[in-house]
Amino acid sequence: EAFKVVSEENKDKKFGWENAVVLAATVKIDRAAADTWLPKPALNISDVDEAILFVAWYPDSFCCGAYHEAALLLKLLRGWLMSWTA
């Protein structure tokens, strides 16, 4: 069954996506490697060795035709929080 974003009551309004494919998965990461990507000391990797991988494919969007996106969402700590708890 297709993933539907627009509710039945709003089906005639021009917003949303049709035939979208969205994937979100929790994946294991190398915390040390991921930590090197972050601006120090503002952000630090948390003690969780997981991230969320998000991939979406929208073949027809309300604003601009086909649209695709992907993200790796890391679980972070702000630097000032770490200094207070250390």
Side-chain angles (χ1 to χ4, degrees):
E1 185 174 328
F3 176 79
K4 294 191 178 195
V5 176
V6 179
S7 67
E8 194 60 33
E9 71 184 45
N10 292 320
K11 69 181 180 181
D12 295 328
K13 294 184 178 177
K14 189 67 175 163
F15 71 95
W17 302 268
E18 292 187 22
N19 301 316
V21 177
V22 178
L23 168 72
T26 300
V27 296
K28 294 285 184 187
I29 61 166
D30 178 338
R31 287 178 46 232
D35 196 49
T36 65
W37 300 344
L38 304 173
K40 301 294 179 193
L43 297 175
N44 294 284
I45 199 80
S46 74
D47 59 357
V48 178
D49 65 346
E50 296 176 343
I52 297 171
L53 176 63
F54 174 81
V55 180
W57 179 65
Y58 309 102
D60 183 27
S61 69
F62 66 97
C63 65
C64 50
Y67 174 73
H68 317 289
E69 64 180 309
L72 183 63
L73 306 169
L74 300 171
K75 297 177 182 181
L76 305 176
L77 298 172
R78 285 191 272 174
W80 64 270
L81 287 176
M82 289 189 63
S83 65
W84 284 102
T85 60

